[in-house]
Amino acid sequence: MNTLKRTLLFTDSLLTMTENSLTVFNAVALLSGTVTDKRLQESCAVLKAALENGTAFSAALQDIQSKTKAFGFSRYHFALFDSVEKTGQLSTALTTIHDDLERKDDLQGQLTVVLVYPCFIVLAALAGAVVLLRIGLPFLRQTGNIPAEFYTDALHGFLAAHLFLCTAAACFAYILIKIFKEDSAETQCFYLLSALLASHIPIVEAVTETVQAARNPKMKKALVIVKKELAAGTSVLYAFKKTQHFLPFVLLWLEIAQKHGDGASIFSFLANYYRKKDMKKRAVTMKFIEPTAIAIVGVYVLLLIQSIVIPLLTYYGNLF
């Protein structure tokens, strides 16, 4: 069982048990003796011991993850766990985190699918090149008619073509992973803010937790400004506007939230808005995967033709 599947199983089991009136400690104790995954069972046993010693659930869970890598909770998840422990609404946090993990599991499946085609194309090109290198060039060498400098030039061209292919494929894969691996910084920011406010966490504390959880440098910088402005007593709208980071669309809805006093639902709406933008970006990306992979291989083949085939044709053309 991979880390994400294990984390999802743990969250789903814990959510089901706590919704059926079990305490967190009893739910963890039950999991430590019933789950079939060995790493999850061991992690639950360690978590149970930590809870018995009085360690907070979020702190104990984060410590176990950092040491064993058995779970795959993000900083946003731990920020949510830590905050809702103070309000006693752990089930709310588990529900939000469970939905987020399910979406990440789906994204992981999409990422696997989108990487299959370009990987297949690249491997097929590499296989063809290996055949050319092991069979084609030795055959030409046996003829004894081709000048020695041709082989040196062909080898240099061959290496240049493969360097391009590997570099382009690596960059393409990196872009796909960035797009499909996780949600945008805005989605994660508003997702956590909405969950914290729904759990009745004060706005300043909610922003503070979000700052600590943010990994994107620009988002973290913007949230630090928001935190300072809110601590100084300014309105939420003015604080977000001061950052000059968020779209006018976001500021419009924050103005509506300020008038109607419904921050949690507005932040939830903004999280869904950015999540839909992420989904649209992924849908557009999937349409360009095949032509991009073909273009990369096309340039690679062109480099091979330029460095090997054309010199061969030129040489034999001069002979006849």
Side-chain angles (χ1 to χ4, degrees):
M1 185 180 293
N2 63 33
T3 303
L4 182 56
K5 293 287 187 185
R6 185 182 304 109
T7 308
L8 188 55
L9 174 61
F10 173 75
T11 307
D12 187 31
S13 302
L14 203 62
L15 175 60
T16 302
M17 292 180 186
T18 53
E19 284 181 339
N20 285 278
S21 303
L22 267 72
T23 63
V24 174
F25 176 80
N26 289 337
V28 171
L30 187 60
L31 282 173
S32 65
T34 57
V35 292
T36 56
D37 184 80
K38 186 177 179 180
R39 291 192 67 187
L40 180 55
Q41 189 177 48
E42 292 173 351
S43 299
C44 287
V46 175
L47 181 58
K48 174 188 171 184
L51 294 175
E52 284 180 321
N53 292 330
T55 308
F57 174 78
S58 59
L61 190 61
Q62 191 165 6
D63 183 59
I64 291 170
Q65 178 169 307
S66 63
K67 290 179 179 177
T68 66
K69 309 299 181 185
F71 298 113
F73 293 108
S74 68
R75 295 183 184 181
Y76 285 91
H77 297 154
F78 285 119
L80 187 54
F81 274 136
D82 184 56
S83 296
V84 299
E85 277 181 344
K86 303 169 185 176
T87 60
Q89 297 189 28
L90 185 60
S91 293
T92 303
L94 287 170
T95 301
T96 305
I97 292 170
H98 178 266
D99 293 342
D100 187 55
L101 290 172
E102 280 192 327
R103 189 174 61 259
K104 285 187 175 181
D105 186 42
D106 182 59
L107 282 178
Q108 194 173 78
Q110 290 184 41
L111 179 61
T112 302
V113 171
V114 300
L115 287 177
V116 166
Y117 183 79
C119 287
F120 174 78
I121 293 292
V122 170
L123 289 175
L126 290 175
V130 170
V131 171
L132 176 66
L133 187 64
R134 292 180 63 88
I135 299 176
L137 289 181
F139 174 77
L140 291 174
R141 190 186 296 273
Q142 290 174 5
T143 64
N145 296 325
I146 299 178
E149 59 268 17
F150 167 80
Y151 297 103
T152 303
D153 293 340
L155 180 61
H156 289 164
F158 187 82
L159 293 175
H162 280 76
L163 180 61
F164 165 79
L165 179 64
C166 294
T167 303
C171 292
F172 187 39
Y174 175 77
I175 292 171
L176 291 177
I177 291 171
K178 287 287 288 183
I179 293 174
F180 283 89
K181 187 176 181 180
E182 61 182 9
D183 294 326
S184 64
E186 288 77 13
T187 302
Q188 296 184 54
C189 165
F190 290 119
Y191 145 76
L192 182 57
L193 285 173
S194 65
L196 292 175
L197 292 176
S199 300
H200 308 294
I201 304 295
I203 182 65
V204 176
E205 186 177 338
V207 173
T208 302
E209 294 288 348
T210 309
V211 169
Q212 294 175 357
R215 289 186 296 180
N216 182 280
K218 292 182 179 179
M219 178 59 70
K220 185 181 282 289
K221 182 179 178 181
L223 289 172
V224 168
I225 296 173
V226 172
K227 174 186 172 182
K228 290 180 179 178
E229 292 297 325
L230 290 175
T234 61
S235 67
V236 174
L237 174 61
Y238 179 81
F240 275 83
K241 187 181 291 185
K242 186 75 179 289
T243 65
Q244 298 182 345
H245 177 80
F246 297 96
L247 298 174
F249 176 83
V250 173
L251 300 178
L252 172 64
W253 281 99
L254 289 178
E255 185 176 0
I256 294 172
Q258 185 171 292
K259 291 179 179 178
H260 297 278
D262 192 13
S265 63
I266 295 299
F267 282 122
S268 178
F269 169 80
L270 291 173
N272 289 327
Y273 166 77
Y274 277 105
R275 189 164 292 146
K276 288 177 181 177
K277 288 188 67 175
D278 293 340
M279 293 171 62
K280 185 176 180 180
K281 184 186 352 182
R282 290 167 188 142
V284 172
T285 302
M286 290 186 74
K287 295 180 180 179
F288 285 93
I289 289 174
E290 183 176 350
T292 303
I294 292 174
I296 291 173
V297 175
V299 174
Y300 162 74
V301 172
L302 183 63
L303 290 173
L304 288 180
I305 291 174
Q306 184 180 14
S307 60
I308 299 175
V309 178
I310 291 179
L312 272 176
L313 293 176
T314 303
Y315 174 75
Y316 282 111
N318 291 334
L319 287 181
F320 298 104

